[in-house]
């Protein structure tokens, strides 16, 4: 029981008349990396925003380490780290000032902040950029600051929304190995529409299409469920286009 | 948590040249006006000495100085308050605050206090300028204190309204212009209303500030500013909360 870090049941959300997410239930265990896959507009970002508490669900429940996110948001959110699609960076602050602010916001005790900052910068490859203004950093470094912000308070669950978008191949590789490393300690949920990324970092995959989960399981289960498809790409196309024909 | 957010707001304000330029320009304007008042006082001083119960230096210099400071406040708050929420929306940085274990009320109060700290600096500088008269004249300290209190309450009302208008939009400039319009409206609303007991008169910020300016600290005036501040802070909390729904 204790090693289930995220559990959602019958999560739904609509914008006006349009349903963005419909009836999503899943569980995530400690140390797992879950890849949320889907074409554009499938509802990945909406799902992640609901998990992070930035968006109130229309219906359903979310529990983070057994704490209800809607009833006890303060305690649940303290266990979460979130990197949205656009990293929420204040360009006028330096990396150190920004991370210190993020740590304070997440209630890291004052005495522990210098150590937390040092550790996080080390992990994210930001050791030499502490004094630089965020606005003057390259896109790849800004993305790293975004990830650093999400893990500075040692959360149990890390939620990353398209963490490798707009990076060069070397940066993508570095970020992926960072995600794998994070997966060893925390639970990680990441959304992407880059299939090789999922194959290289995720333990489990969930495929979403038009607001609904069309597949959920690990790679072995995926092979078992769809023996006629040779690769993840084919399964993905099969699952998301099948819906279209139906 | 509130103070963490307030400290960050103050830091970002001073990280940009805007805050420094505003403080510098205001000090220049106020100092010029202050010296002008002193000059005027010195010219009329011989005649004042002949009067039985002459107005003191506080009435003739400090009161007009605070009157001008209030007018300046009206123009200074919009460019400062516009960014508070609108810019976070525009840069999509709101997610950091929303996903952190802080409540919407804490976010709004933090931002409000951050802006108030800056305005308090401005008020403090104005008060210091008046206080410099203490070296050479008898200063009515109670009148000065009344003026400071009035200006603080006025600043709080302005900051709360500015914060609320900033929470309505994702364009800082629209927030600034909307805020300035609302301030001016509240300032001059009593001009058209002839009857001094009318509702419009009662809504006027100018009227409520004037009594503090004269040294009258009335509960009704203080209550007006406090209610005004609380109302717009609550509205801002509600507005921001609606973003999540």
């Amino acid at each position: 029981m204790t090693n289930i870090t995220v559990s959602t049941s019958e999560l739904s959300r609509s914008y006006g008349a349009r349903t963005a997410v419909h009836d999503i239930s899943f569980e995530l265990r400690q140390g797992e990396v879950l890849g949320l896959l889907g074409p554009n507009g499938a509802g990945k970002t909406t799902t992640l925003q609901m998990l992070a508490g930035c968006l109130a669900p229309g219906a359903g429940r979310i529990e983070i380490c057994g704490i209800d996110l809607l009833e006890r948001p303060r305690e649940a959110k303290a266990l979460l780290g979130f990197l949205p699609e656009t990293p929420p960076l204040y360009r006028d602050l330096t990396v150190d000032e920004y991370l210190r602010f993020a740590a304070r916001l997440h209630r890291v005790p004052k005495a522990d902040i210098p150590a937390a900052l040092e550790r996080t910068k080390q992990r994210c490859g930001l050791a030499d950029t502490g004094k630089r203004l965020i606005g003057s950093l390259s896109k790849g470094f800004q993305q790293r600051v975004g990830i650093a912000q999400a893990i500075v308070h040692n959360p149990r669950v890390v939620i990353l929304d398209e963490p490798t978008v707009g990076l060069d191949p070397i940066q993508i590789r570095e970020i992926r190995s960072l995600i794998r490393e994070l997966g060893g300690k925390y639970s990680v949920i990441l959304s992407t529409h880059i299939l090789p990324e999922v194959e290289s970092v995720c333990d489990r995959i969930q495929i979403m299409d038009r607001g609904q989960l069309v597949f959920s399981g690990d790679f072995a289960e995926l092979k078992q469920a769809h023996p006629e498809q040779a690769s993840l790409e084919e399964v993905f196309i099969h699952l998301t286009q099948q819906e279209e024909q139906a | 948590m509130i103070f963490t957010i307030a400290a960050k707001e103050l830091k970002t304000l001073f990280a940009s040249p805007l805050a420094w330029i505003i403080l510098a320009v205001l000090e220049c304007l106020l100092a010029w006006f202050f010296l002008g008042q002193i000059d005027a006082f010195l010219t009329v001083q011989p005649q004042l000495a002949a009067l039985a119960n002459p107005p003191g230096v506080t009435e003739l210099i400090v009161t007009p100085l605070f009157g001008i400071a209030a007018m300046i406040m009206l123009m200074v708050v919009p460019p400062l308050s516009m960014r508070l929420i609108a810019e976070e929306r525009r840069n999509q940085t709101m997610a950091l605050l929303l996903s952190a274990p802080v409540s919407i009320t804490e976010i709004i109060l933090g931002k409000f206090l951050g802006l108030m700290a800056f305005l308090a600096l401005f008020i403090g500088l104005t008060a210091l300028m008046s206080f410099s008269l203490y070296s050479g004249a008898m200063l009515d300290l109670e009148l000065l204190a009344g003026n400071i209190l009035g200006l603080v309450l006025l600043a709080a009302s302005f900051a709360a309204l500015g914060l609320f208008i900033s929470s309505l939009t994702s364009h800082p400039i629209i927030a600034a212009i909307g805020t300035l319009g609302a301030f001016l409206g509240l300032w001059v609303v009593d001009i058209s209303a002839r009857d001094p007991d009318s509702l419009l008169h009662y809504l006027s910020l100018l009227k409520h500030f004037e009594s503090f300016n004269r040294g009258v600290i009335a509960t009704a005036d203080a209550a007006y500013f406090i209610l005004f501040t609380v109302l717009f802070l609550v509205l801002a909390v509600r507005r921001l909360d609606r973003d999540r729904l």
Side-chain angles (χ1 to χ4, degrees):
Chain A
M1 182 59 219
T2 45
N3 64 356
I4 289 182
T5 47
V6 180
S7 101
T8 73
S9 59
E10 290 154 26
L11 205 57
S12 298
R13 164 83 201 192
S14 46
Y15 297 105
R18 200 172 63 80
T19 304
V21 170
H22 184 67
D23 226 6
I24 291 208
S25 306
F26 65 87
E27 279 182 351
L28 183 67
R29 277 178 289 275
Q30 177 144 24
E32 269 185 333
V33 180
L34 172 72
L36 200 55
L37 274 171
N40 291 324
K44 302 182 300 270
T45 297
T46 305
T47 308
L48 295 186
Q49 282 189 328
M50 283 193 284
L51 289 177
C54 292
L55 210 58
R61 287 167 62 84
I62 303 170
E63 280 185 7
I64 310 290
C65 302
I67 301 169
D68 193 301
L69 179 67
L70 301 172
E71 279 165 19
R72 290 153 72 195
R74 191 177 293 237
E75 291 148 72
K77 282 177 181 176
L79 303 168
L80 277 175
F82 178 44
L83 171 68
E85 224 168 340
T86 320
L89 305 175
Y90 297 112
R91 303 173 58 85
D92 294 337
L93 297 185
T94 65
V95 173
D96 277 344
E97 284 170 342
Y98 176 72
L99 290 180
R100 201 171 297 128
F101 175 60
R104 288 293 297 145
L105 267 187
H106 285 94
R107 296 170 197 274
V108 177
K110 234 179 193 142
D112 302 347
I113 286 183
L117 240 60
E118 215 39 59
R119 191 190 57 233
T120 311
K121 284 194 294 180
Q122 203 69 46
R123 300 186 87 165
C124 300
L126 291 166
D128 306 325
T129 47
K131 299 265 182 296
R132 287 184 60 186
L133 280 181
I134 292 177
S136 71
L137 295 176
S138 69
K139 175 91 173 83
F141 273 97
Q142 290 187 354
Q143 194 73 25
R144 289 179 199 208
V145 178
I147 296 180
Q149 159 274 126
I151 60 172
V152 69
H153 52 292
N154 253 329
R156 300 279 300 275
V157 181
V158 182
I159 301 172
L160 307 169
D161 196 352
E162 308 205 348
T164 55
V165 159
L167 302 183
D168 71 35
I170 300 167
Q171 291 169 332
I172 289 182
R173 215 165 66 185
E174 285 171 0
I175 300 262
R176 281 184 192 163
S177 68
L178 176 65
I179 292 170
R180 257 197 308 265
E181 196 192 313
L182 292 178
K185 202 170 160 200
Y186 315 118
S187 298
V188 180
I189 304 180
L190 82 151
S191 85
T192 180
H193 45 241
I194 307 163
L195 299 176
E197 187 161 297
V198 178
E199 281 173 320
S200 67
V201 302
C202 297
D203 306 312
R204 267 177 57 205
I205 43 176
Q206 289 191 337
I207 301 179
M208 281 185 84
D209 187 41
R210 269 159 291 168
Q212 298 192 310
L213 269 185
V214 291
F215 175 82
S216 175
D218 58 25
F219 286 97
E221 285 169 331
L222 185 81
K223 280 236 162 63
Q224 218 168 24
H226 302 279
E228 69 277 15
Q229 267 81 32
S231 67
L232 176 62
E233 188 177 345
E234 283 179 36
V235 177
F236 180 76
I237 289 168
H238 174 72
L239 281 172
T240 52
Q241 299 219 323
Q242 192 182 38
E243 291 273 306
E244 228 157 79
Q245 286 153 10
Chain B
M1 226 22 67
I2 295 175
F3 292 107
T4 309
I5 297 175
K8 184 243 137 199
E9 283 305 321
L10 204 57
K11 196 184 279 171
T12 9
L13 260 180
F14 280 108
S16 76
L18 183 70
W20 297 103
I21 289 175
I22 285 180
L23 278 181
V25 169
L26 293 189
E27 275 314 283
C28 277
L29 285 175
L30 276 182
W32 192 11
F33 183 81
F34 181 62
L35 290 175
Q37 287 299 118
I38 291 180
D39 207 32
F41 178 75
L42 291 178
T43 14
V44 296
Q45 205 180 17
Q47 288 137 38
L48 286 178
L51 289 176
N53 192 6
V57 67
T58 322
E59 276 106 323
L60 288 176
I61 298 177
V62 175
T63 301
L65 183 72
F66 272 78
I68 285 288
M71 276 307 282
I72 287 176
M73 188 85 79
L74 183 133
M75 280 170 275
V76 163
V77 172
L80 294 171
S81 70
M82 67 177 187
R83 348 166 340 279
L84 288 174
I85 293 173
E87 199 174 73
E88 299 242 16
R89 278 223 188 90
R90 201 179 172 78
N91 297 341
Q92 300 185 315
T93 48
M94 210 65 212
L96 176 68
L97 296 174
L98 290 179
S99 68
V102 289
S103 66
I104 303 270
T105 315
E106 285 173 317
I107 296 175
I108 292 288
L109 284 180
K111 288 185 172 286
F112 173 71
L113 283 184
L115 180 55
M116 276 311 283
F118 180 85
L119 295 176
L121 195 62
F122 168 59
I123 296 171
L125 286 172
T126 314
L128 271 182
M129 200 183 276
S130 319
F131 205 69
S132 67
L133 291 172
Y134 200 63
S135 54
M138 284 292 283
L139 212 52
D140 183 347
L141 287 180
E142 278 142 22
L143 182 58
L144 179 60
N147 268 297
I148 293 174
L149 178 67
L151 204 53
V152 168
L153 287 172
L154 185 74
S157 310
F158 281 171
L161 181 56
L163 182 59
F164 169 63
I165 293 180
S166 177
S167 77
L168 295 177
T169 164
S170 52
H171 293 272
I173 296 297
I174 294 180
I177 292 173
T179 310
L180 186 63
F183 287 174
L184 285 174
L186 280 167
W187 196 265
V188 300
V189 77
D190 59 337
I191 289 179
S192 58
R194 297 272 159 74
D195 179 9
D197 290 329
S198 74
L199 184 67
L200 281 180
H201 254 288
Y202 197 76
L203 284 179
S204 166
L205 281 166
L206 184 63
K207 186 173 160 249
H208 292 283
F209 179 68
E210 264 173 4
S211 24
F212 280 102
N213 202 209
R214 285 197 318 267
V216 182
I217 301 177
T219 322
D221 297 313
Y224 170 83
F225 284 121
I226 291 169
L227 282 176
F228 190 98
T229 308
V230 171
L231 171 73
F232 283 104
L233 287 179
V234 169
L235 285 176
V237 171
R238 294 193 60 110
R239 179 65 192 80
L240 202 58
D241 206 28
R242 240 180 46 208
D243 277 3
R244 285 172 54 244
L245 301 175

